[in-house]
Amino acid sequence: MHIDIAGLAPESIVFETSPLAELGLALHALSEPGHHPGLHGWATATASALEPDLADRLHEAEFLWRNTFSDVFLPFAGVRGGSGRTGANLAEDLDILDRLDDERFVAAALEFTCSSLYGLGAPSPLCDATMRARALDMAAARGPQQVEFTQQLLADPAPLRRWIRRLFEDCDQAFFSDTWRRVQVQLVADARHKTDLLRRKGLGEAVAAVSTALSLDEAGTRISADKLTEGRANAADPAVGRPGLTLVPSAFGWPHLNLLHAPGWRPVIHYPVHRPELSSPAVELLQLRMEALAHPMRMRLCRHLARSAYTTGELADTYGITAPEVSRHLAALKKAGLVTTRRRGRYVQHQLDLTVVARLGSDFLEGILR
């Protein structure tokens, strides 16, 4: 996934906090606690304290944050002619959401029905009969509740927009205001630190500090994200109300690294605050490791290599294959970072890196959820 920044003024790249964006990820953590093992305590306590009426309403609208991360939580990026700035508090963020025109609001709210068309600039289902039919058809796969919601939204967005705003306000009263007070200090500090890094050491250093999954090309004209998805956005696109790029830190985001790249919207990178102990390998390396272990003979070799260090000759003798064949398999395992090698006198011994292998499951989950 790429964000083109060629021709973008340095001051147009900003780090800001957003209560509404954080609320979106907090709601996601409530509905998908398996994605966020570090938040199990918070999610359990918060869910158990919800009033039944609020819990029911959250269930009605959970497709906004469970199946996709709807752009309704980042409205500052989509208001036509807007400043591109986030609100200072949730009420201001919700006021910005109110200024998002109906076409963009409906397209963002129904993103779960047309995610495959997200980056193509497809027309809003509010004004296009084909997209309208598609939205209703795709909503049917999610159940009657989503169909009813979609029908109401397409018939008249205003009542449902008011309903959603009230839902978010009730969340704020029930649990989010306390949560935001707790995490705001950390997020403001992170945004300030990254801004200072950007000014003093440049965009490359700032991007590297945001996430190991982000990189800036040598020309300084493109930011790339290592994700199992494809997309492209142009931060200097004149079609965007105010060209620029906004980076928003999140305390609830890990392991997700979200990039808003809808055509006509200001690009946004919504990133988890840095937790180095939880960093995962690149998607390409993860794929390499899984492919290396998928070969039956390499799996059999790992059975011995997990117990102790062995030479190529010992492995060849054990499995009845040639030493060159063992060397080829070991080379694939070493390239994937799964095997370590050490020399003992005239012998070279190989052993499985148990720490790396033990993390494969969590690395895989983090990679696909990123």
Side-chain angles (χ1 to χ4, degrees):
M1 186 172 289
H2 308 288
I3 298 177
D4 296 318
I5 57 173
L8 194 65
E11 61 271 16
S12 298
I13 300 175
V14 296
F15 289 86
E16 296 191 345
T17 60
S18 168
L20 182 56
E22 193 69 356
L23 173 60
L25 284 175
L27 291 172
H28 173 73
L30 280 177
S31 62
E32 286 287 3
H35 291 190
H36 306 270
L39 297 174
H40 278 174
W42 175 87
T44 300
T46 301
S48 63
L50 290 177
E51 294 291 336
D53 172 68
L54 179 56
D56 288 343
R57 285 184 289 146
L58 288 175
H59 180 69
E60 287 183 50
E62 69 174 3
F63 59 85
L64 291 173
W65 53 79
R66 184 170 194 162
N67 308 110
T68 60
F69 294 102
S70 173
D71 291 342
V72 298
F73 292 102
L74 300 166
F76 66 89
V79 174
R80 302 180 197 270
S83 66
R85 303 300 300 272
T86 62
N89 50 53
L90 184 62
E92 288 188 13
D93 265 353
L94 292 175
D95 288 342
I96 297 172
L97 179 61
D98 288 343
R99 295 201 295 273
L100 198 64
D101 64 57
D102 282 345
E103 287 186 12
R104 287 193 167 181
F105 180 91
V106 170
L110 298 181
E111 184 183 325
F112 76 102
T113 68
C114 54
S115 56
S116 63
L117 304 176
Y118 177 85
L120 302 180
S124 168
L126 195 62
C127 59
D128 183 89
T130 300
M131 290 300 295
R132 184 187 192 90
R134 175 187 171 85
L136 290 168
D137 182 56
M138 297 296 287
R142 294 290 173 185
Q145 198 169 55
Q146 277 69 30
V147 173
E148 182 181 358
F149 190 97
T150 302
Q151 289 173 334
Q152 293 179 14
L153 191 60
L154 292 173
D156 185 4
L160 271 181
R161 293 188 67 160
R162 290 193 294 269
W163 183 87
I164 289 173
R165 173 165 182 148
R166 178 60 185 272
L167 174 64
F168 293 161
E169 289 172 339
D170 288 348
C171 286
D172 190 49
Q173 184 175 356
F175 67 89
F176 185 68
S177 61
D178 290 338
T179 299
W180 178 248
R181 277 195 294 271
R182 177 171 55 84
V183 303
Q184 182 183 17
V185 175
Q186 178 189 22
L187 299 184
V188 169
D190 185 88
R192 186 180 297 119
H193 169 67
K194 300 293 194 307
T195 299
D196 185 57
L197 201 60
L198 175 65
R199 291 172 179 168
R200 292 188 299 105
K201 297 190 175 182
L203 183 59
E205 291 283 347
V207 165
V210 167
S211 171
T212 56
L214 293 176
S215 60
L216 180 68
D217 67 350
E218 292 185 2
T221 59
R222 187 178 69 185
I223 297 174
S224 298
D226 183 35
K227 288 171 60 73
L228 277 172
T229 186
E230 295 182 359
R232 182 178 291 273
N234 185 358
D237 186 353
V240 178
R242 177 169 293 187
L245 170 65
T246 303
L247 296 97
V248 180
S250 169
F252 283 83
W254 186 88
H256 309 297
L257 175 67
N258 300 315
L259 274 71
L260 189 162
H261 59 284
W265 290 55
R266 180 187 180 96
V268 178
I269 298 176
H270 197 190
Y271 66 93
V273 289
H274 190 45
R275 295 202 283 176
E277 73 280 6
L278 296 172
S279 60
S280 56
V283 170
E284 183 179 357
L285 178 58
L286 176 62
Q287 182 177 343
L288 189 66
R289 286 175 176 172
M290 299 186 75
E291 289 174 348
L293 291 173
H295 193 286
M297 178 51 71
R298 288 198 282 270
M299 289 188 68
R300 294 175 67 190
L301 290 173
C302 286
R303 183 173 183 273
H304 270 67
L305 295 171
R307 290 179 167 87
S308 182
Y310 285 86
T311 66
T312 301
E314 287 177 309
L315 293 170
D317 183 69
T318 298
Y319 290 100
I321 59 179
T322 66
E325 189 175 353
V326 171
S327 295
R328 284 195 296 271
H329 287 307
L330 289 174
L333 292 169
K334 284 191 282 187
K335 184 177 180 181
L338 298 169
V339 165
T340 59
T341 299
R342 66 183 181 186
R343 179 174 290 278
R344 178 166 291 176
R346 65 189 183 91
Y347 296 101
V348 176
Q349 297 180 324
H350 313 279
Q351 190 165 15
L352 197 66
D353 191 325
L354 298 182
T355 302
V356 171
V357 175
R359 269 198 58 88
L360 271 178
S362 57
D363 285 346
F364 172 73
L365 187 60
E366 292 165 23
I368 61 174
L369 292 178
R370 185 187 297 162

